[in-house]
Short mmCIF file of all heavy atoms in Angstrom, two decimals:
data_model
loop_
_atom_site.label_atom_id
_atom_site.label_comp_id
_atom_site.label_asym_id
_atom_site.label_seq_id
_atom_site.Cartn_x
_atom_site.Cartn_y
_atom_site.Cartn_z
N VAL S 1 134.68 269.31 -107.20
CA VAL S 1 135.90 268.96 -106.47
C VAL S 1 136.02 269.79 -105.21
O VAL S 1 135.83 270.98 -105.22
CB VAL S 1 137.13 269.23 -107.38
CG1 VAL S 1 138.43 268.97 -106.67
CG2 VAL S 1 137.05 268.43 -108.64
N LEU S 2 136.31 269.13 -104.07
CA LEU S 2 136.59 269.81 -102.84
C LEU S 2 138.12 269.93 -102.69
O LEU S 2 138.83 268.94 -102.89
CB LEU S 2 135.99 269.05 -101.64
CG LEU S 2 134.46 268.97 -101.63
CD1 LEU S 2 134.04 267.99 -100.49
CD2 LEU S 2 133.87 270.33 -101.43
N ILE S 3 138.58 271.09 -102.39
CA ILE S 3 140.01 271.30 -102.29
C ILE S 3 140.55 270.55 -101.08
O ILE S 3 140.00 270.64 -99.97
CB ILE S 3 140.31 272.81 -102.20
CG1 ILE S 3 139.92 273.43 -103.51
CG2 ILE S 3 141.79 273.00 -101.89
CD1 ILE S 3 140.10 274.94 -103.61
N GLY S 4 141.56 269.72 -101.29
CA GLY S 4 142.12 268.92 -100.23
C GLY S 4 141.59 267.49 -100.15
O GLY S 4 142.08 266.67 -99.35
N MET S 5 140.56 267.14 -100.95
CA MET S 5 139.95 265.87 -100.85
C MET S 5 140.91 264.71 -101.22
O MET S 5 140.75 263.62 -100.76
CB MET S 5 138.68 265.73 -101.64
CG MET S 5 138.81 265.73 -103.15
SD MET S 5 137.21 265.68 -103.90
CE MET S 5 137.64 265.25 -105.52
N HIS S 6 141.89 265.00 -102.03
CA HIS S 6 142.85 263.95 -102.41
C HIS S 6 143.79 263.58 -101.26
O HIS S 6 144.50 262.58 -101.38
CB HIS S 6 143.64 264.49 -103.64
CG HIS S 6 144.56 265.64 -103.31
ND1 HIS S 6 144.09 266.91 -103.16
CD2 HIS S 6 145.90 265.68 -103.07
CE1 HIS S 6 145.11 267.71 -102.85
NE2 HIS S 6 146.24 266.99 -102.80
N LEU S 7 143.80 264.31 -100.22
CA LEU S 7 144.65 264.05 -99.08
C LEU S 7 144.09 263.04 -98.09
O LEU S 7 144.81 262.54 -97.22
CB LEU S 7 144.97 265.32 -98.33
CG LEU S 7 145.67 266.43 -99.18
CD1 LEU S 7 145.71 267.74 -98.34
CD2 LEU S 7 147.05 265.97 -99.60
N TRP S 8 142.81 262.70 -98.23
CA TRP S 8 142.11 261.87 -97.24
C TRP S 8 141.51 260.66 -97.98
O TRP S 8 140.96 260.80 -99.00
CB TRP S 8 141.05 262.67 -96.56
CG TRP S 8 141.57 263.92 -95.94
CD1 TRP S 8 141.50 265.18 -96.46
CD2 TRP S 8 142.28 264.05 -94.71
NE1 TRP S 8 142.11 266.09 -95.64
CE2 TRP S 8 142.60 265.43 -94.56
CE3 TRP S 8 142.65 263.17 -93.71
CZ2 TRP S 8 143.32 265.91 -93.45
CZ3 TRP S 8 143.36 263.66 -92.64
CH2 TRP S 8 143.66 265.02 -92.52
N SER S 9 141.54 259.53 -97.31
CA SER S 9 140.91 258.30 -97.88
C SER S 9 139.66 257.85 -97.15
O SER S 9 138.76 257.31 -97.77
CB SER S 9 141.96 257.20 -97.94
OG SER S 9 142.34 256.84 -96.67
N LYS S 10 139.59 258.07 -95.87
CA LYS S 10 138.44 257.63 -95.15
C LYS S 10 138.36 258.27 -93.78
O LYS S 10 139.33 258.92 -93.34
CB LYS S 10 138.45 256.11 -94.99
CG LYS S 10 139.63 255.56 -94.20
CD LYS S 10 139.60 254.11 -94.16
CE LYS S 10 140.87 253.55 -93.49
NZ LYS S 10 140.91 252.12 -93.37
N GLY S 11 137.27 258.11 -93.08
CA GLY S 11 137.11 258.64 -91.79
C GLY S 11 135.66 258.70 -91.39
O GLY S 11 134.74 258.58 -92.23
N LYS S 12 135.36 258.81 -90.13
CA LYS S 12 133.97 258.88 -89.60
C LYS S 12 133.47 260.26 -89.62
O LYS S 12 132.27 260.47 -89.51
CB LYS S 12 133.91 258.27 -88.22
CG LYS S 12 134.26 256.81 -88.18
CD LYS S 12 134.13 256.32 -86.75
CE LYS S 12 134.43 254.83 -86.72
NZ LYS S 12 134.29 254.28 -85.37
N LYS S 13 134.37 261.24 -89.76
CA LYS S 13 133.95 262.66 -89.66
C LYS S 13 134.62 263.38 -90.82
O LYS S 13 135.75 263.10 -91.13
CB LYS S 13 134.40 263.19 -88.28
CG LYS S 13 134.15 264.63 -88.03
CD LYS S 13 134.62 264.97 -86.64
CE LYS S 13 134.41 266.42 -86.31
NZ LYS S 13 134.85 266.77 -84.98
N LEU S 14 133.93 264.32 -91.39
CA LEU S 14 134.48 265.17 -92.44
C LEU S 14 134.15 266.64 -92.07
O LEU S 14 133.04 266.97 -91.85
CB LEU S 14 133.91 264.82 -93.81
CG LEU S 14 134.36 265.78 -94.96
CD1 LEU S 14 135.83 265.65 -95.19
CD2 LEU S 14 133.53 265.47 -96.18
N VAL S 15 135.16 267.46 -92.05
CA VAL S 15 135.01 268.88 -91.78
C VAL S 15 135.10 269.64 -93.14
O VAL S 15 136.10 269.48 -93.82
CB VAL S 15 136.05 269.37 -90.80
CG1 VAL S 15 135.90 270.88 -90.56
CG2 VAL S 15 135.94 268.62 -89.49
N ILE S 16 134.10 270.45 -93.40
CA ILE S 16 134.11 271.24 -94.68
C ILE S 16 134.15 272.68 -94.30
O ILE S 16 133.33 273.17 -93.52
CB ILE S 16 132.81 270.95 -95.51
CG1 ILE S 16 132.73 269.45 -95.86
CG2 ILE S 16 132.84 271.82 -96.80
CD1 ILE S 16 131.46 269.06 -96.53
N THR S 17 135.17 273.37 -94.81
CA THR S 17 135.35 274.81 -94.50
C THR S 17 135.01 275.66 -95.72
O THR S 17 134.99 275.13 -96.86
CB THR S 17 136.79 275.07 -94.04
OG1 THR S 17 137.69 274.78 -95.11
CG2 THR S 17 137.15 274.24 -92.82
N GLU S 18 134.89 276.97 -95.49
CA GLU S 18 134.54 277.86 -96.57
C GLU S 18 135.76 278.22 -97.45
O GLU S 18 135.65 278.40 -98.65
CB GLU S 18 133.93 279.15 -96.02
CG GLU S 18 133.50 280.12 -97.08
CD GLU S 18 132.82 281.34 -96.55
OE1 GLU S 18 132.63 281.47 -95.34
OE2 GLU S 18 132.49 282.22 -97.36
N GLY S 19 136.97 278.23 -96.85
CA GLY S 19 138.13 278.61 -97.62
C GLY S 19 139.37 277.78 -97.27
O GLY S 19 139.36 277.07 -96.28
N GLU S 20 140.36 277.96 -98.07
CA GLU S 20 141.56 277.15 -97.94
C GLU S 20 142.34 277.50 -96.66
O GLU S 20 142.86 276.63 -95.98
CB GLU S 20 142.51 277.38 -99.16
CG GLU S 20 141.91 276.90 -100.45
CD GLU S 20 141.02 277.95 -101.11
OE1 GLU S 20 141.14 279.16 -100.79
OE2 GLU S 20 140.19 277.57 -101.92
N ILE S 21 142.36 278.79 -96.27
CA ILE S 21 143.09 279.15 -95.06
C ILE S 21 142.36 278.55 -93.85
O ILE S 21 142.98 278.13 -92.89
CB ILE S 21 143.20 280.68 -94.94
CG1 ILE S 21 144.18 281.21 -96.06
CG2 ILE S 21 143.74 281.11 -93.57
CD1 ILE S 21 144.35 282.65 -96.16
N ASP S 22 141.05 278.56 -93.87
CA ASP S 22 140.24 277.92 -92.80
C ASP S 22 140.56 276.45 -92.73
O ASP S 22 140.75 275.91 -91.65
CB ASP S 22 138.74 278.09 -93.01
CG ASP S 22 138.31 279.54 -93.11
OD1 ASP S 22 138.92 280.34 -92.43
OD2 ASP S 22 137.34 279.83 -93.82
N MET S 23 140.67 275.81 -93.86
CA MET S 23 141.00 274.39 -93.92
C MET S 23 142.38 274.11 -93.31
O MET S 23 142.52 273.21 -92.47
CB MET S 23 141.03 273.92 -95.39
CG MET S 23 141.46 272.46 -95.60
SD MET S 23 141.56 272.00 -97.36
CE MET S 23 143.08 272.84 -97.81
N LEU S 24 143.38 274.87 -93.67
CA LEU S 24 144.73 274.72 -93.13
C LEU S 24 144.75 275.01 -91.64
O LEU S 24 145.41 274.32 -90.90
CB LEU S 24 145.66 275.62 -93.90
CG LEU S 24 145.87 275.28 -95.41
CD1 LEU S 24 146.69 276.34 -96.03
CD2 LEU S 24 146.50 273.90 -95.55
N SER S 25 144.01 276.05 -91.21
CA SER S 25 143.97 276.42 -89.81
C SER S 25 143.36 275.32 -88.95
O SER S 25 143.89 274.96 -87.92
CB SER S 25 143.21 277.71 -89.60
OG SER S 25 143.85 278.77 -90.27
N TYR S 26 142.24 274.80 -89.43
CA TYR S 26 141.60 273.64 -88.69
C TYR S 26 142.50 272.50 -88.60
O TYR S 26 142.64 271.87 -87.50
CB TYR S 26 140.26 273.31 -89.35
CG TYR S 26 139.52 272.19 -88.60
CD1 TYR S 26 138.69 272.58 -87.55
CD2 TYR S 26 139.71 270.91 -88.87
CE1 TYR S 26 138.07 271.56 -86.79
CE2 TYR S 26 139.10 269.90 -88.13
CZ TYR S 26 138.25 270.25 -87.11
OH TYR S 26 137.63 269.27 -86.41
N GLY S 27 143.13 272.13 -89.70
CA GLY S 27 144.05 270.98 -89.66
C GLY S 27 145.19 271.17 -88.70
O GLY S 27 145.59 270.22 -87.96
N GLU S 28 145.69 272.39 -88.65
CA GLU S 28 146.83 272.66 -87.71
C GLU S 28 146.38 272.60 -86.24
O GLU S 28 147.04 272.03 -85.40
CB GLU S 28 147.41 274.01 -88.03
CG GLU S 28 148.66 274.30 -87.14
CD GLU S 28 149.40 275.55 -87.57
OE1 GLU S 28 149.27 275.98 -88.71
OE2 GLU S 28 150.04 276.13 -86.69
N VAL S 29 145.23 273.17 -85.95
CA VAL S 29 144.74 273.17 -84.56
C VAL S 29 144.39 271.77 -84.04
O VAL S 29 144.64 271.48 -82.90
CB VAL S 29 143.47 274.12 -84.47
CG1 VAL S 29 142.77 273.93 -83.15
CG2 VAL S 29 143.92 275.55 -84.66
N THR S 30 143.87 270.92 -84.92
CA THR S 30 143.48 269.57 -84.52
C THR S 30 144.56 268.53 -84.76
O THR S 30 144.32 267.33 -84.49
CB THR S 30 142.20 269.12 -85.24
OG1 THR S 30 142.48 269.09 -86.68
CG2 THR S 30 141.05 270.11 -84.98
N GLY S 31 145.70 268.93 -85.25
CA GLY S 31 146.78 267.96 -85.54
C GLY S 31 146.36 267.04 -86.67
O GLY S 31 146.82 265.84 -86.69
#
């Protein structure tokens, strides 16, 4: 299980981060 995978259904690009804070930070920076 990837943390946060339930929030997304499709896309051409997938960003995988090492930790949850990295995931949240990337999401915030890219909108």
